[in-house]
Amino acid sequence: MINRHARRPIASTFAAVVLACSVGVASPALAKNPMVGGAPMYASKTIVENAVNSKDHTTLVAAVKAAGLVDTLSGPGPFTVFAPTNAAFAKLPAGTVETLVKPENKATLTKILTYHVVPGVYTAKDLMKLAKDGGGEAQLKTVQGEPLVVQSKGKKVYVTDAKGSTATVTTANVMQSNGVIHVINGVLQP
């Protein structure tokens, strides 16, 4: 799929994945300074600057730091980040996160995190239109390189990974100075 919204190389998008893990909001409309994890998300700040303040994204932020993606996600982007919450990470088998953040597993962690980042800015409205135009679903190429499938039903947006697991966007359109974050309730696997 051609990404008409992309303006930055993959290295910049790579950083966006790391930051995405730490921010989330729960409404499909564009909100001014929405609250995510008990903290306001400012459109004038980067994905990373906002994510570090969300109590719901501490696992994502730790993972982004362990993968060395902070600088990337602090860059100009733009990025669309599907950010899993702490509860989403808690659904993984026991010990998974602790294993992934070890230095020897940095490549695997980076692959997973960058799979949550798409170059360009896609609001919930954009995602819904792409799905509608695609006959019910659309593919988005991630920074990691493999596609995600986006679907919409009613006013909800769903993202399906390469393994067939689906996450729901629980908070949409958390605008950042370098992109947009959509909070999701699952961890996507390439």
Side-chain angles (χ1 to χ4, degrees), residues 22-166:
S22 59
V23 179
V25 175
S27 86
L30 296 174
K32 190 167 189 158
N33 302 331
M35 298 293 286
V36 175
M41 299 291 114
Y42 297 99
S44 61
K45 292 187 176 185
T46 67
I47 293 167
V48 173
E49 289 172 328
N50 276 318
V52 299
N53 295 316
S54 170
K55 291 184 289 188
D56 291 343
H57 292 91
T58 57
T59 303
L60 178 62
V61 171
V64 169
K65 288 177 181 178
L69 296 174
V70 171
D71 288 343
T72 301
L73 293 176
S74 296
F79 311 110
T80 296
V81 176
F82 295 98
T85 61
N86 293 344
F89 280 103
K91 293 178 189 177
L92 296 172
T96 301
V97 174
E98 294 78 8
T99 299
L100 285 171
V101 297
K102 291 181 178 179
E104 62 268 24
N105 297 319
K106 184 176 179 179
T108 301
L109 177 61
T110 299
K111 182 177 178 180
I112 292 169
L113 292 177
T114 55
Y115 189 62
H116 289 78
V117 179
V118 174
V121 173
Y122 293 94
T123 64
K125 184 177 178 180
D126 295 332
L127 296 171
M128 289 177 173
K129 181 175 182 344
L130 287 171
K132 181 180 177 188
D133 293 350
E137 64 181 41
Q139 285 194 357
L140 297 174
K141 188 172 182 181
T142 66
V143 171
Q144 183 269 342
E146 294 185 43
L148 290 171
V149 174
V150 177
Q151 299 174 312
S152 69
K153 295 175 187 162
K155 293 186 178 188
K156 291 195 177 246
V157 175
Y158 302 90
V159 185
T160 303
D161 65 21
K163 298 192 183 298
S165 296
T166 300

Side-chain angles (χ1 to χ4, degrees), residues 5-22:
H5 297 284
R7 289 188 274 166
R8 230 25 200 169
I10 290 181
S12 295
T13 308
F14 185 76
V17 171
V18 175
L19 204 66
C21 295
S22 59

